């Protein structure tokens, strides 16, 4: 299947409420319950290794990318256990709210 997962893996009907509930420190299980599994995931260290140098902060982290009809957002996951950072959800939430 490659790095990209099928759209069916994305939780149907991602809502602004579910996106606003995504927080640093929450478990991966909680995040998946809110927004499903990512369409694309890659170890941060592997991404930097392609360019020849891996920063210490990238070790043990994964970038999870979600593509929705309202835009993309990312979760940075630490050690496959917790959400270390939530990125770009504000724009997705704004687009969801503007459609209503």
């Amino acid at each position: 299947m490659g790095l990209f997962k099928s759209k069916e893996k994305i939780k149907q009907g991602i809502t602004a409420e579910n996106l606003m509930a995504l927080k640093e420190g929450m478990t991966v299980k909680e995040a998946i319950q809110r927004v499903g599994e990512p369409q694309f995931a890659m170890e941060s260290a592997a991404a930097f290794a392609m360019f020849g140098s891996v920063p210490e902060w990238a070790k043990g982290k994964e970038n999870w990318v979600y593509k929705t009809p309202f835009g993309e957002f990312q979760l940075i996951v630490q050690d496959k256990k917790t959400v270390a950072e939530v990125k770009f959800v504000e724009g997705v939430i704004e687009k969801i709210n503007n459609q209503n």
Side-chain angles (χ1 to χ4, degrees):
M1 179 188 329
L3 295 174
F4 288 92
K5 296 182 181 180
S6 70
K7 289 185 180 180
E8 290 75 41
K9 293 281 186 184
I10 298 292
K11 183 175 181 175
Q12 296 299 316
I14 288 180
T15 65
E17 178 182 345
N18 283 339
L19 290 173
M20 288 187 288
L22 295 173
K23 303 285 183 223
E24 291 178 13
M26 74 187 317
T27 68
V28 166
K29 183 178 177 179
E30 291 170 316
I32 290 171
Q33 287 173 340
R34 291 284 183 177
V35 294
E37 294 186 24
Q39 281 182 290
F40 174 81
M42 182 176 201
E43 290 182 14
S44 300
F48 280 98
M50 290 188 289
F51 299 105
S53 177
V54 178
E56 195 62 36
W57 64 263
K59 294 178 181 176
K61 292 188 178 166
E62 288 183 329
N63 278 27
W64 288 13
V65 178
Y66 292 82
K67 296 181 180 194
T68 77
F70 306 101
E72 296 182 11
F73 67 95
Q74 294 182 25
L75 299 179
I76 307 300
V77 173
Q78 180 70 47
D79 299 322
K80 300 183 183 194
K81 295 179 184 176
T82 58
V83 174
E85 191 175 348
V86 179
K87 300 173 83 170
F88 312 119
V89 295
E90 296 85 3
V92 177
I93 291 168
E94 184 177 330
K95 288 178 182 176
I96 290 171
N97 288 336
N98 287 338
Q99 76 150 3
N100 297 328

